[in-house]
Amino acid sequence: MKIIPYLQKSPKPLIFSLGIIQLLLIGMIDYLVVNHVSLAIFYLLPIIFTTWFWNQSAGMVMSFLSAIAWLNAYYAEEFCLTLNPSIPYWNAFVRLGFFIIITYLLAKQKRAYNREKNFARSDSLTGTANRRFLFEMFEDEIKRNYRYRNPLTLAYLDVNNFKKVNDRYGHNKGDQLLCLIGTVLIRETRDTDVVARMGGDEFALLLTETNYESGKKALSRILSKLIEAVQIQSFSVGFSLGAVTLATPPESTDVAHLAQEILKQADMLMYAAKESGKNQIEHELFGESEKN
């Protein structure tokens, strides 16, 4: 359902406003409905909506407003005038407690859901994205390329002599090197870019809205920062990068196939860079290898 991603990305004031609208509609119906018909459970709708799509604090505020709205509707019933005046307030307090408990439990569930979602999208060692998430984002960016003609650049990075680090110093030292590389890549890219560990000592960079020239400059800068970082830590390794820029999409609209073709070209360029020597970048526009 497209409505869920849309709401997740919506401004928080809009989420709260939609929650208030829901609350007003429920409160109005509760006010006008016949006596003795309880609609208390429906007040959970704006509470759940606000808590899930914003946060626990917003849900608590909505819980308090829902209790007030219920109390207002309760006083509209003629029969309540014969009751002890304190009973409606006690009932409203009990409902508020119920609403708060639901808000707390839902917020806790959302935090657990987000943790699991992040685990499914990230590499546990380096903190970068994983292969699966990169593919998802890559296909989304290709679709944007078809629609808006925004260029994108994909780069594959391989660590030269990584095996020697593991063999000489042990896997713990190798893990430290991978974490260092992941940290540098995340630091030197934008929030809109994707850095992913593809497995072993291979990483991928998805540079959104980046044409050939901008990609060339960005990758050169990233490579120099990587070299500087490993030299400071005394790691005797180098890097090979293969990059492909997609400027104008081909006529084919098979996004999955196009993604695989770009990935294949980037992978081939990475191996070509490795054969050219240490710390090299091979960068082409998509389809150039076929022309050559």
Side-chain angles (χ1 to χ4, degrees):
M1 296 178 63
K2 294 183 178 180
I3 186 65
I4 301 299
Y6 173 78
L7 290 172
Q8 290 173 335
K9 297 178 181 179
S10 297
K12 302 311 179 185
L14 174 61
I15 295 297
F16 194 75
S17 298
L18 292 175
I20 290 293
I21 292 173
Q22 294 177 51
L23 176 58
L24 290 175
L25 289 174
I26 294 169
M28 184 179 300
I29 294 172
D30 198 12
Y31 184 86
L32 298 175
V33 79
V34 295
N35 293 342
H36 308 298
V37 176
S38 176
L39 298 179
I41 193 171
F42 293 101
Y43 286 99
L44 289 175
L45 295 177
I47 295 171
I48 293 173
F49 177 85
T50 308
T51 303
W52 189 261
F53 291 110
W54 192 350
N55 58 25
Q56 181 175 333
S57 298
M60 292 295 184
V61 173
M62 193 63 66
S63 296
F64 181 75
L65 295 176
S66 295
I68 293 177
W70 175 86
L71 182 62
N72 180 65
Y74 190 90
Y75 264 115
E77 300 177 1
E78 295 180 1
F79 83 94
C80 76
L81 298 177
T82 61
L83 298 176
N84 187 320
S86 64
I87 291 180
Y89 293 99
W90 170 255
N91 289 340
F93 178 77
V94 170
R95 282 170 173 76
L96 175 60
F98 173 70
F99 294 156
I100 289 175
I101 291 172
I102 293 297
T103 300
Y104 171 78
L105 294 176
L106 183 63
K108 187 175 181 180
Q109 180 64 30
K110 182 185 177 183
R111 288 192 292 269
Y113 168 78
N114 287 335
R115 282 196 300 269
E116 291 299 321
K117 186 177 179 180
N118 289 333
F119 287 151
R121 298 167 58 175
S122 63
D123 176 63
S124 59
L125 176 63
T126 63
T128 62
N130 59 19
R131 187 185 188 94
R132 177 182 176 183
F133 181 66
L134 176 84
F135 286 161
E136 291 177 359
M137 295 301 296
F138 188 34
E139 291 189 0
D140 286 345
E141 286 302 316
I142 291 177
K143 292 175 183 177
R144 290 184 60 193
N145 179 264
Y146 271 109
R147 181 175 298 178
Y148 303 111
R149 295 298 189 267
N150 292 332
L152 62 92
T153 296
L154 179 78
Y156 261 22
L157 180 148
D158 178 76
V159 185
N160 303 323
N161 301 324
F162 177 74
K163 186 175 184 299
K164 291 182 179 180
V165 174
N166 277 337
D167 293 342
R168 184 173 182 179
Y169 302 105
H171 289 281
N172 286 338
K173 198 70 174 178
D175 288 348
Q176 291 178 22
L177 172 58
L178 293 175
C179 290
L180 174 63
I181 293 170
T183 299
V184 173
L185 292 176
I186 293 173
R187 186 183 67 214
E188 298 301 326
T189 51
R190 303 164 299 178
D191 291 340
T192 54
D193 299 329
V194 179
V195 178
R197 183 185 175 201
M198 304 300 284
D201 60 339
E202 291 187 0
F203 291 81
L205 304 175
L206 176 58
L207 308 180
T208 62
E209 299 185 11
T210 303
N211 59 27
Y212 182 87
E213 292 299 325
S214 298
K216 186 176 181 180
K217 293 178 182 178
L219 292 174
S220 295
R221 174 178 51 79
I222 290 170
L223 178 58
S224 65
K225 293 295 184 180
L226 285 170
I227 295 171
E228 178 184 345
V230 297
Q231 286 178 345
I232 292 174
Q233 297 294 326
S234 300
F235 286 111
S236 299
V237 297
F239 303 94
S240 299
L241 281 87
V244 177
T245 294
L246 177 64
T248 303
E251 294 182 359
S252 172
T253 57
D254 188 343
V255 173
H257 177 72
L258 179 57
Q260 290 299 326
E261 289 297 313
I262 296 173
L263 290 167
K264 180 180 177 181
Q265 184 175 341
D267 191 47
M268 292 174 60
L269 289 170
M270 182 190 70
Y271 281 104
K274 182 176 290 190
E275 293 177 358
S276 299
K278 192 176 182 180
N279 299 324
Q280 297 294 316
I281 301 175
E282 293 288 338
H283 188 184
E284 294 180 349
L285 287 168
F286 175 68
E288 273 193 356
S289 295
E290 298 176 359
K291 296 176 183 178
N292 296 335

